[in-house]
Every structure is written in structure tokens, then in C-alpha cells.
Amino acid sequence: MIKAFDEIVKYAKEKGPKTLAVAVAQDAEVLNAVNNAKDLGIAEAILVGDKEEIVKAAASCGVDIAKFSIIDEKDKAQACKKAVSLISEGKADIVMKGLVDTAIILKAVLAEEAGLRTGNVLSHVAVFEVNGYDRLFIVTDAAMNIAPNLEQKKQIIENAVKVANAMGNMEPKVAVLAAVEKVNPKMQATLDADALVEMNKKGELKGCLLGGPFALDNAVSLEAAKHKGIVHPVAGNADILMVPQIEAGNMLYKSMVFFAKAQNAGIVVGAKVPIVLTSRADSDIAKLNSIAIGVLMADI
């Protein structure tokens, strides 16, 4: 089981190279990450966007743009459509978001003519390496689904399990998070957690061991779980942290990046191919980590 990002990069080298279709590629940190991925043998890339701006961005960060093919498309929506069409045409394996709003690239991915829909919910899966822990954490959904209902939460968990599987964890432990550890009829997050646990017990939600509701402390800390008298295989041992809604997920994501200084990666799962989707504030290292996970996901 993969426990650190350097291991992810190592395995991505073995699985790669895959080809990225980078939508609106005129971003220095995106180009840095793509260049590093190419140099490491993880991924090739086709850059779609404003060619003049792409060349300028590459020059600003010392990337030799001659390594890459560029498709000149100044309109951002059209650049996203073209990047997605490269998947449909079999010329690329992974879509990567560049300097464009998430909604614009997802609209292109979900367009009927793209042929990338699966019928499942698309969800964002973030992966974190946090100092002091012996495993990687998956947080979902911090970026896409605003207030998912029970069925959507089930599919969000299934998407996260696929990412865990790609990293070698074939039965990840899933903690369904809430503010408290007991079911409270006034707190929908606890009711959903209870229902998801039942689905898991009945075999309707497979491939993982699920527990909840858990507060964050007793999901990740054995000491906190013991202190509160919580006895469950997931308590203190969670691999996947399922948040109740986007505000909680977004705050947890950014707390881990800015307070804990955790390494991170982000990917959208649920389409026929992985979509590398990071925050514009994420570093080029986070973007490289995301590409590496995308390569592992493209191979399953």
C-alpha cells in the first residue's frame, strides 16, 4: 500500500507515460508540473490554449516549450472542449485543468458529445500526506458537490475507494464525518452516516470498511477515540474522510495545506477518465502529485 507521495511518483513512472490534455495551459505552475512529469517519465502533454500566453508563461518559469505540442485556442471554453475532444479521439488519457474556472472545464467534460459520462456522480478527491502519520489521507468532497444527498454520498465514497485502490489500498477504512459521534435526528450528517454504515453492512456499499458518524479527532487519532470510549475498526485508523458538505471539506482541505503544511493532490473521479483538478493556489508540486495519481487512475 502506498503511504507517501514519493511512492506515488515512483509507481506512476512504472505505469506511465500517459498523455495529458491540458485545458487553458497558460499557467506557469501548471507548465512547471507538466514539465516535471515529462522529465520524470510520468506523462506527456498536449497544451491547449492561447499559444502566445503559453509561450510567455513557459519562458517565465524556464520551461522549454519545444518539448510540447501546442494547440492554439484563445477562447477558454473552446480550449476546454478541444482538450476533452483529445480524449474522445484517443490522443490523450487524462484531462488537466489549467488557468480556467472549474465549471467551464466540467461543462466540457459532461457535454453529451464528449462521451465521458458514466452516469455516476463526479466528485473531487483530495489526497494528503501529513507529517506524523503513517498513511495518506483521502478527503472528499471538498470542491464539487455542495450538499450531497444520501445516494450522492454513496457514489462519492465509491469514487474515493477507486482512488484508494489505485494507491494499493484494496479495503480502505472510511470515516463519515460529522460534528458528533452519535446519531442526532436534528443533524442530517449523522443520519446519513448511520444510513451509509447500514449500506456497508448489507453489501450495498462495497470495497471498504465504513464507520460513522465520527468527529474528525476520533477518525484520525486512536488516543482521541479511546478517550471517548469509541471502539470501532475505523476509529483512529481512517484512510478516507467523507465530509458532510462542501464548506466542511473546503475548510479541512485548506487547513491541511496552510496550517499543517501537508503535501496534497486533487483529482476528479466519476467520468470515464481522470481529471486532474487542483486549486489555482496549489503549488506546482501539488499539481505534479495530482498528475501522478491521474496516471495511476488511468491505468485501472
Side-chain angles (χ1 to χ4, degrees), residues 38-290:
K38 181 175 176 63
D39 288 348
L40 289 168
I42 293 172
E44 302 290 338
I46 302 169
L47 309 178
V48 186
D50 186 321
K51 184 172 182 177
E52 186 178 344
E53 293 300 319
I54 291 171
V55 171
K56 282 183 187 176
S60 75
C61 60
V63 169
D64 179 6
I65 203 64
K67 294 179 182 178
F68 305 102
S69 60
I70 301 174
I71 296 174
D72 188 22
E73 177 52 72
K74 291 176 173 52
D75 181 270
K76 290 188 175 184
Q78 290 302 317
C80 289
K81 285 183 181 179
K82 182 58 186 176
V84 168
S85 74
L86 294 171
I87 302 290
S88 310
E89 294 164 11
K91 295 176 181 175
D93 309 292
I94 302 164
V95 177
M96 182 171 182
K97 172 181 176 284
L99 193 63
V100 64
D101 290 343
T102 297
I104 296 174
I105 191 167
L106 291 180
K107 184 177 180 181
V109 169
L110 292 172
E112 199 71 45
E113 62 269 22
L116 298 184
R117 292 185 183 185
T118 63
N120 293 338
V121 167
L122 267 64
S123 58
H124 186 265
V125 180
V127 182
F128 291 94
E129 182 179 333
V130 185
N131 286 338
Y133 286 88
D134 63 351
R135 62 194 183 278
L136 293 168
F137 288 103
I138 289 172
V139 175
T140 193
D141 182 338
M144 286 192 61
N145 293 279
I146 295 170
N149 61 30
L150 182 61
E151 178 57 30
Q152 289 169 328
K153 286 182 178 181
K154 176 178 179 285
Q155 291 185 37
I156 288 168
I157 291 169
E158 289 169 342
N159 286 344
V161 168
K162 289 176 184 176
V163 176
N165 291 166
M167 298 191 301
N169 187 345
M170 304 317 291
E171 193 178 21
K173 296 180 175 68
V174 181
V176 184
L177 298 183
V180 295
E181 301 83 25
K182 294 179 181 178
V183 176
N184 182 333
K186 295 181 180 180
M187 302 176 76
Q188 188 61 45
T190 68
L191 296 172
D192 287 351
D194 192 47
L196 289 164
V197 168
E198 285 304 307
M199 286 183 191
N200 188 233
K201 287 178 180 176
K202 292 176 181 177
E204 298 167 12
L205 182 48
K206 299 177 182 178
C208 60
L209 179 60
L210 190 145
F214 289 121
L216 178 63
D217 56 350
N218 45 66
V220 302
S221 167
L222 279 169
E223 286 184 12
K226 288 176 183 176
H227 185 71
K228 291 188 176 180
I230 299 169
V231 179
H232 191 281
V234 175
N237 293 303
D239 303 299
I240 297 173
L241 303 173
M242 167 75 200
V243 301
Q245 27 70 3
I246 198 168
E247 288 87 358
N250 189 272
M251 290 175 197
L252 177 57
Y253 182 112
K254 289 178 179 174
S255 294
M256 292 174 87
V257 172
F258 290 98
F259 289 151
K261 306 298 182 188
Q263 276 201 61
N264 67 300
I267 193 163
V268 170
V269 186
K272 289 183 180 177
V273 297
I275 304 161
V276 175
L277 195 151
T278 55
S279 167
R280 278 171 286 188
D282 283 336
S283 68
D284 58 332
I285 294 172
K287 290 175 170 66
L288 175 63
N289 291 337
S290 303

